[in-house]
Amino acid sequence: DAGVIQSPRHEVTEMGQEVTLRCKPISGHNSLFWYRQTMMRGLELLIYFNNNVPIDDSGMPEDRFSAKMPNASFSTLKIQPSEPRDSAVYFCASSSTHQAFFGQGTRLTVV
Amino acid sequence: AQSVTQLGSHVSVSEGALVLLRCNYSSSVPPYLFWYVQYPNQGLQLLLKYTSAATLVKGINGFEAEFKKSETSFHLTKPSAHMSDAAEYFCAVSGGGSQGNLIFGKGTKLSVKP
């Protein structure tokens, strides 16, 4: 298995633009997590899905952030409109039992 | 609610010296505990995990951790540091269940001096 695949690896966008981050979890994993990593706040859980259903989105910072999981093999995290303070590395992870596997992350820079 | 505290944001050791990275947890249910390692510009990789079996857990790259319920600790150790161990290490707790979300500590950056 190729592991958790995130795209793009790097994204630079202008403030106000819409940004969509993509994630393909490991086949057979039924939980998917989106995390954000910054120097100031460390690793924060934004949202997680179980069997494609959002279970806990309390970590989503504000309404500008939305996440979907239309099927077991794909998820998106959208920021609209983006702001400079959204600049961070966004990680997707998937798990089956007791172990989360992380993607390489998307480094987002909003200028 | 679960939480994790990692003591020391930076730890520096000499090559060949003992590595000790500290982690204390808080959990209202029997926890599952994890240590992850992150190399620069990489994702997180699982080092080891505790899931209520043996309290001394051995992981990859010679690391191990001991679950101590009385101290609510799960410290990570390695007898002899290698230069390649330089990375950031994260302790995480899950509230149990197979798909519980992980709550991470702030991380400890390990430097290894030649």
Side-chain angles (χ1 to χ4, degrees):
Chain A
D1 199 316
V4 176
I5 299 173
Q6 292 186 246
S7 63
R9 288 294 309 275
H10 301 273
E11 176 81 36
V12 180
T13 190
E14 292 185 347
M15 182 174 64
Q17 297 297 307
E18 175 181 304
V19 175
T20 299
L21 311 182
R22 297 172 175 79
C23 176
K24 180 180 177 1
I26 293 173
S27 177
H29 284 188
N30 54 6
S31 290
L32 182 139
F33 309 86
W34 282 101
Y35 287 88
R36 178 172 67 176
Q37 186 177 36
T38 61
M39 290 291 291
M40 292 298 294
R41 301 173 69 89
L43 268 168
E44 302 173 280
L45 176 68
L46 300 178
I47 185 172
Y48 82 95
F49 296 84
N50 194 24
N51 294 322
N52 312 338
V53 176
I55 302 300
D56 183 357
D57 66 353
S58 60
M60 297 286 262
E62 43 194 284
D63 292 345
R64 297 185 296 106
F65 286 69
S66 62
K68 294 181 180 180
M69 192 165 186
N71 57 62
S73 59
F74 185 65
S75 177
T76 59
L77 178 67
K78 184 181 292 186
I79 308 173
Q80 179 184 23
S82 58
E83 296 182 3
R85 59 194 169 116
D86 301 330
S87 298
V89 181
Y90 291 82
F91 286 103
C92 176
S94 69
S95 76
S96 55
T97 56
H98 306 314
Q99 181 173 343
F101 292 82
F102 282 76
Q104 298 278 36
T106 295
R107 182 175 295 276
L108 173 65
T109 302
V110 183
V111 298
Chain B
Q2 286 79 36
S3 67
V4 166
T5 302
Q6 290 185 241
L7 299 176
S9 58
H10 288 87
V11 170
S12 182
V13 300
S14 297
E15 193 173 19
L18 171 72
V19 175
L20 171 61
L21 305 183
R22 298 178 187 274
C23 173
N24 289 88
Y25 71 91
S26 173
S27 178
S28 56
V29 297
Y32 295 143
L33 295 159
F34 307 81
W35 276 99
Y36 282 82
V37 60
Q38 185 180 31
Y39 298 101
N41 300 314
Q42 299 288 319
L44 278 73
Q45 178 184 2
L46 182 70
L47 272 180
L48 50 81
K49 60 185 177 185
Y50 167 77
T51 56
S52 74
T55 56
L56 182 61
V57 181
K58 295 186 183 299
I60 62 171
N61 301 339
F63 284 93
E64 62 182 38
E66 186 172 8
F67 172 71
K68 291 187 176 180
K69 184 177 179 180
S70 60
E71 299 178 8
T72 60
S73 68
F74 190 58
H75 302 330
L76 181 71
T77 61
K78 182 174 180 177
S80 176
H82 295 168
M83 297 297 291
S84 60
D85 295 327
E88 190 156 18
Y89 293 80
F90 293 90
C91 184
V93 63
S94 170
S98 59
Q99 284 85 32
N101 54 297
L102 295 176
I103 304 300
F104 284 88
K106 295 292 187 185
T108 298
K109 188 164 290 186
L110 175 67
S111 301
V112 181
K113 298 174 292 187

